[in-house]
Amino acid sequence: MSPDLEQEPRRRGGRLVLLLPLAVFGLVGAAFFWGLLNNNSPLPSPLIGKPVPEFTLPPIEGRDDGLSSADLRGQVSLVNVWASWCVPCRAENPLMVELSKTGEVPIYGINYKDKAGEALAFLDELGDPFTRIGADLSGRVAIDWGVYGIPETFVIDAAGRVAYKHVGPFNRQILEEDILPVVRKLQREAGQ
Amino acid sequence: MSRLALILMLLLAPFAALAVQPDEVLDNPVLESRARDISQKMRCPVCQGESIDESNAGVSRDLRLYIRERLVAGDSDAEVVDAVVDRFGEFVLFDPPMRGINLLLWFAAPVAALLGLILAFVFLRGRSRAASSIRDLNEAERARLDEIMHE
């Protein structure tokens, strides 16, 4: 009987080693499960740090502004890609109107695949926060900007480079904590 | 049985419909097949499990048209792929290129399998060694073992 007792501690160590694969599996499984439930991270944009794509967009029919890449140089600005048919765009519009009234940063709009009448009605109803708007009827300029889910909001630095991109609608918290700090930092750097 | 198969086939036919719209298809069959090849390798940025070739999302249609436009303009397949990657990122490729951090993606699974095989081999060899040590018992131990086995 005594030899068995002597072997007992070593065997117990061996048993624990056998549990190791199970433990590793459990950890990896937990990590995957967490990833599955938290898979809402936006795709990183390869445009960050690069100059905005060259483009010239006509105004929404009935307006006389339009937007081109030249408008985005010389000051820090926001570019918001929106459409009247985009429901989340309605949600973030009041925040942009509020921001535009402070005069803190100019907001430029790219009106994405929209009908002129409906786009103008949207602005009449909710307010127009945009310094200039270009109408991207074909969605071709949006491809150059890597836009895949509107609304999308870009922060452009004073040299006309893309500094930050937010995919999807922003709320007050995202605006105050993510977007505006980037704007203010760039404005300080540009001496604005 | 064959009637059932026919009915099923007809019922399922609409689901096999192509996302590629007739107005997108190029007249030049060589360019069109190149365009199809490229779009099958590209992930739709919105509906991330589908290729842009089979996705009905608006951005997929735009990308299909964009790819065809560039091919017609004389771009090579690689130039077209690079142009889309420059805009949307490496994420749009179903096969991420074998460089940088992606190497981890490509080789983690084979390396893990290899490690598993080595561990299994070492473990099994150790066990068969342990089993063979029964043969090295002396007379007294053998007798004791018999006694235990026949209890």
Side-chain angles (χ1 to χ4, degrees):
Chain A
M1 224 35 222
S2 58
D4 280 359
L5 282 175
E6 272 164 32
Q7 276 185 342
E8 199 57 22
R10 198 162 54 109
R11 196 179 284 169
R12 194 170 288 163
R15 288 263 162 77
L16 281 178
V17 169
L18 287 182
L19 282 177
L20 196 66
L22 193 66
V24 170
F25 173 79
L27 282 175
V28 171
F32 284 157
F33 192 67
W34 183 87
L36 194 67
L37 295 181
N38 293 278
N39 184 21
N40 54 0
S41 61
L43 307 183
S45 172
L47 283 167
I48 304 292
K50 294 200 187 137
V52 297
E54 289 297 320
F55 70 96
T56 307
L57 284 176
I60 298 173
E61 217 180 303
R63 285 172 62 113
D64 51 9
D65 45 3
L67 185 68
S68 75
S69 30
D71 297 323
L72 303 177
R73 289 182 206 115
Q75 91 281 47
V76 179
S77 58
L78 293 182
V79 172
N80 180 256
V81 187
W82 65 284
S84 66
W85 48 261
C86 146
V87 178
C89 298
R90 296 185 82 85
E92 69 178 13
N93 185 277
L95 276 172
M96 285 199 288
V97 172
E98 195 184 306
L99 178 64
S100 71
K101 282 185 184 144
T102 68
E104 189 171 353
V105 58
I107 308 171
Y108 295 102
I110 293 180
N111 185 223
Y112 178 72
K113 292 189 178 181
D114 212 349
K115 294 196 178 96
E118 286 167 18
L120 294 176
F122 177 96
L123 296 174
D124 276 346
E125 181 195 338
L126 295 165
D128 177 3
F130 300 112
T131 307
R132 302 177 72 95
I133 304 175
D136 186 16
L137 293 175
S138 66
R140 187 48 201 279
V141 168
I143 285 190
D144 286 341
W145 282 73
V147 170
Y148 65 89
I150 67 166
E152 289 192 10
T153 306
F154 297 81
V155 181
I156 312 299
D157 73 9
R161 286 179 305 236
V162 179
Y164 184 81
K165 173 182 179 178
H166 178 79
V167 178
F170 57 80
N171 52 27
R172 192 174 297 278
Q173 192 191 356
I174 294 170
L175 183 66
E176 298 283 353
E177 290 175 12
D178 295 336
I179 299 175
L180 285 180
V182 179
V183 169
R184 288 174 189 141
K185 180 170 159 281
L186 292 172
Q187 284 175 335
R188 272 198 307 276
E189 282 168 10
Q192 253 181 274
Chain B
M1 195 60 204
S2 70
R3 184 183 291 179
L4 182 68
L6 184 68
I7 290 172
L8 273 178
M9 253 162 63
L10 288 175
L11 281 175
L12 290 174
F15 297 105
L18 283 174
V20 181
Q21 302 293 306
D23 62 317
E24 297 173 20
V25 176
L26 298 173
D27 294 333
N28 181 332
V30 179
L31 285 185
E32 176 62 22
S33 86
R34 279 170 64 197
R36 293 296 301 272
D37 279 349
I38 295 173
S39 21
Q40 273 156 18
K41 287 181 202 142
M42 285 200 171
R43 187 195 302 271
C44 159
V46 187
C47 29
Q48 301 174 353
E50 278 183 312
S51 75
I52 58 172
D53 191 61
E54 60 199 1
S55 158
N56 287 309
V59 68
S60 294
R61 176 181 157 85
D62 289 350
L63 280 172
R64 288 196 297 268
L65 290 170
Y66 177 76
I67 287 168
R68 284 167 173 77
E69 218 173 280
R70 308 246 348 186
L71 286 176
V72 169
D75 279 7
S76 73
D77 290 6
E79 280 168 340
V80 174
V81 170
D82 285 349
V84 178
V85 169
D86 279 349
R87 287 161 176 76
F88 290 87
E90 262 178 13
F91 179 86
V92 294
L93 299 175
F94 272 117
D95 281 344
M98 276 205 214
R99 57 179 141 82
I101 188 77
N102 291 343
L103 290 174
L104 191 68
L105 204 62
W106 278 92
F107 292 111
V111 166
L114 200 67
L115 276 179
L117 280 175
I118 292 171
L119 279 176
F121 178 73
V122 169
F123 174 73
L124 289 175
R125 210 178 53 167
R127 202 167 62 168
S128 69
R129 279 237 180 99
S132 71
S133 67
I134 293 174
R135 271 179 257 126
D136 305 333
L137 300 178
N138 63 33
E139 278 305 314
E141 286 167 333
R142 223 175 268 271
R144 171 74 182 133
L145 184 62
D146 275 347
E147 203 182 301
I148 294 167
M149 297 296 273
H150 291 104
E151 257 172 14

